Amino acid sequence: MRKDPVRGQLDLLLLAILSDGPAHGYAVIQELHERSNGAFDLHEGTVYPALHKLETEGLLSSKWSTAGGRKRRIYALSQKGRTALQLQAREWSGFVSAMRKVLEA
Amino acid sequence: MESSSIVRYLDDLRKALGITPGFSPRIVLEIQDHLISSAETHVQNGVPEELAIELAIEEIGSPRTIAEAILLTYSDESSGESTPIPLESRAITRRTSMIALNVVGIGWSAKPYDKMQRSDLETNLTFKPSPQDLDLRVIIEGFEGNPFVLMSDETGDRKLPIFIGVAEAIAIALSLQGINTNRPMTHDLIARLLSSLDDLQIERVVITRLEDKTFYAQLELEHSGEAVTVDCRPSDGIAVAIRLGVPIFAEEALEGVFIAA
């Protein structure tokens, strides 16, 4: 799959994955690979700026933890993030079903 | 698993971010953790270690890509270069969460900014907030290189050094050490101006953003009940703030450029 469509929806994908519980960046990326069967090919590094941005928007919160002697930033969905996820997921479903109706007509 | 390739990658990332070698703000620590975790996963899947590291680096993308995205995240998109921002909306929107800062001291780096190591932060810290004999010649002649003001958050864990001019370093050092000059210096004058007007109140100084290796700040004032912000260099803002006992903050969005403990 091309990268651009993923980038446009990266925020939504990250919120969706974090709705299952707090996780660090690498775990989020692994989960993204797994759920999409590797279809979403993205520069993994750009996930971190996206996480930072979602945090500055108040949709995520984050804190340090330690793993294997390394510092690790754990992200969690905020209430505001949960609301945003529901809203965006609904919009996306509407878009997809409208696309499908047109394409399959 | 720590390899020279990862070290080199992180150095490139720091360079692309415009931060000092050896400093590890949040984004650098996160990318480091990612690269090591990713390489470890590849090794578990049977990939030889050398190749695993190369794969991890390839998959994460170039340092430039990450740096551009992170700098975009922390730049103040609402502010144009010269267009003033509507003051009302700014005053309201920036009441979110900010990081309160303490001025730790004035340091001196004989090394150029891009050669400075993390350890230079503490060892070169010359002027701390305690009264002592201050010889101005020490500031002007006694050190090579550039002065920086070192700030920390309330816990002291996260530190923020900002390189400043010599005149501003002197102004901050004088005030930190409680030294009064015979005649009011420039920052004394600004402080006096601000405090001599009845309907003008300075609320705080806020370090707002980092753009193109330059930190931006603003004085937040209240004039006859209305919010007024004035663009300033962080050093000037700090010099004024410590004269008036006004709190200094950094936007929460700048968290990524702090140096973690």
Side-chain angles (χ1 to χ4, degrees):
Chain A
M1 179 173 278
R2 287 183 303 138
K3 285 174 188 177
D4 286 347
V6 183
R7 194 174 301 167
Q9 299 303 327
L10 185 56
D11 288 0
L12 176 55
L13 294 171
L14 297 178
L15 292 177
I17 285 166
L18 284 168
S19 71
D20 287 350
H24 66 285
Y26 183 64
V28 169
I29 291 163
Q30 277 184 311
E31 185 67 18
L32 189 59
H33 276 304
E34 211 153 290
R35 289 200 203 173
S36 69
N37 278 329
F40 293 155
D41 175 22
L42 76 169
H43 289 310
E44 294 177 346
T46 56
V47 164
Y48 294 90
L51 289 169
H52 285 218
K53 183 172 72 73
L54 290 170
E55 187 177 352
T56 64
E57 291 168 356
L59 303 183
L60 301 179
S61 64
S62 73
K63 59 180 184 207
W64 287 114
S65 75
T66 330
R70 295 194 301 274
K71 286 188 112 176
R72 177 168 276 184
R73 196 77 177 180
I74 307 287
Y75 292 86
L77 202 62
S78 68
Q79 193 47 53
K80 193 177 161 190
R82 211 163 282 281
T83 311
L85 168 63
Q86 285 168 357
L87 204 72
Q88 288 181 33
R90 207 176 303 142
E91 279 174 10
W92 179 248
S93 301
F95 174 73
V96 170
S97 77
M99 281 290 287
R100 192 173 292 143
K101 278 178 195 158
V102 173
L103 293 174
E104 292 171 1
Chain B
M1 185 189 297
E2 183 75 53
S3 81
S4 58
S5 310
I6 293 180
V7 171
R8 208 174 317 122
Y9 184 93
L10 296 175
D11 282 344
D12 288 344
L13 178 61
R14 290 187 183 93
K15 202 177 286 176
L17 284 165
I19 59 174
T20 308
F23 288 174
S24 293
R26 172 168 150 196
I27 185 65
V28 175
L29 292 174
E30 285 187 293
I31 296 297
Q32 181 182 32
D33 179 46
H34 176 105
L35 287 173
I36 296 169
S37 305
S38 172
E40 281 171 356
T41 306
H42 286 308
V43 168
Q44 278 163 23
N45 293 335
V47 180
E49 188 168 318
E50 278 292 296
L51 189 61
I53 291 165
E54 266 179 47
L55 265 178
I57 287 173
E58 192 184 307
E59 284 161 355
I60 205 167
S62 76
R64 175 168 292 275
T65 315
I66 298 171
E68 276 170 7
I70 203 87
L71 292 174
L72 194 67
T73 303
Y74 289 115
S75 69
D76 194 341
E77 286 161 45
S78 60
S79 82
E81 274 296 295
S82 54
T83 328
I85 307 112
L87 301 173
E88 286 293 313
S89 60
R90 271 210 82 111
I92 295 161
T93 53
R94 68 178 52 266
R95 307 247 162 208
T96 49
S97 47
M98 294 196 287
I99 303 163
L101 295 175
N102 294 316
V103 179
V104 182
I106 294 289
W108 208 271
S109 172
K111 299 172 190 170
Y113 191 78
D114 61 351
K115 292 277 187 300
M116 221 179 134
Q117 299 295 315
R118 184 196 164 110
S119 56
D120 294 328
L121 274 189
E122 300 295 341
T123 53
N124 287 342
L125 206 61
T126 316
F127 301 106
K128 297 179 184 178
S130 60
Q132 52 180 264
D133 288 336
L134 173 69
D135 186 346
L136 282 186
R137 284 171 305 177
V138 172
I139 298 185
I140 298 163
E141 298 165 359
F143 292 89
E144 290 178 337
N146 299 301
F148 61 87
V149 57
L150 184 63
M151 288 173 290
S152 71
D153 68 1
E154 283 169 308
T155 62
D157 288 345
R158 295 177 296 178
K159 298 218 159 42
L160 180 67
I162 298 179
F163 275 80
I164 60 177
V166 174
E168 292 71 33
I170 293 171
I172 293 169
L174 284 172
S175 183
L176 282 180
Q177 305 199 329
I179 295 165
N180 290 314
T181 49
N182 288 337
R183 301 292 299 138
M185 307 283 274
T186 310
H187 293 92
D188 301 323
L189 173 64
I190 297 168
R192 286 182 189 198
L193 271 172
L194 290 172
S195 56
S196 63
L197 299 170
D198 279 341
D199 53 357
L200 187 70
Q201 184 85 24
I202 175 163
E203 300 274 332
R204 57 190 162 191
V205 172
V206 181
I207 320 285
T208 50
R209 66 188 202 274
L210 172 63
E211 203 175 292
D212 208 4
K213 298 184 187 177
T214 303
F215 282 95
Y216 288 74
Q218 63 190 25
L219 305 179
E220 296 197 358
L221 313 165
E222 193 187 287
H223 179 242
S224 305
E226 288 210 72
V228 179
T229 63
V230 180
D231 180 26
C232 69
R233 295 182 296 181
S235 56
D236 289 327
I238 293 161
V240 170
I242 57 178
R243 277 165 175 73
L244 295 170
V246 165
I248 304 167
F249 292 92
E251 288 285 12
E252 184 85 20
L254 276 170
E255 199 199 346
V257 300
F258 275 70
I259 298 151

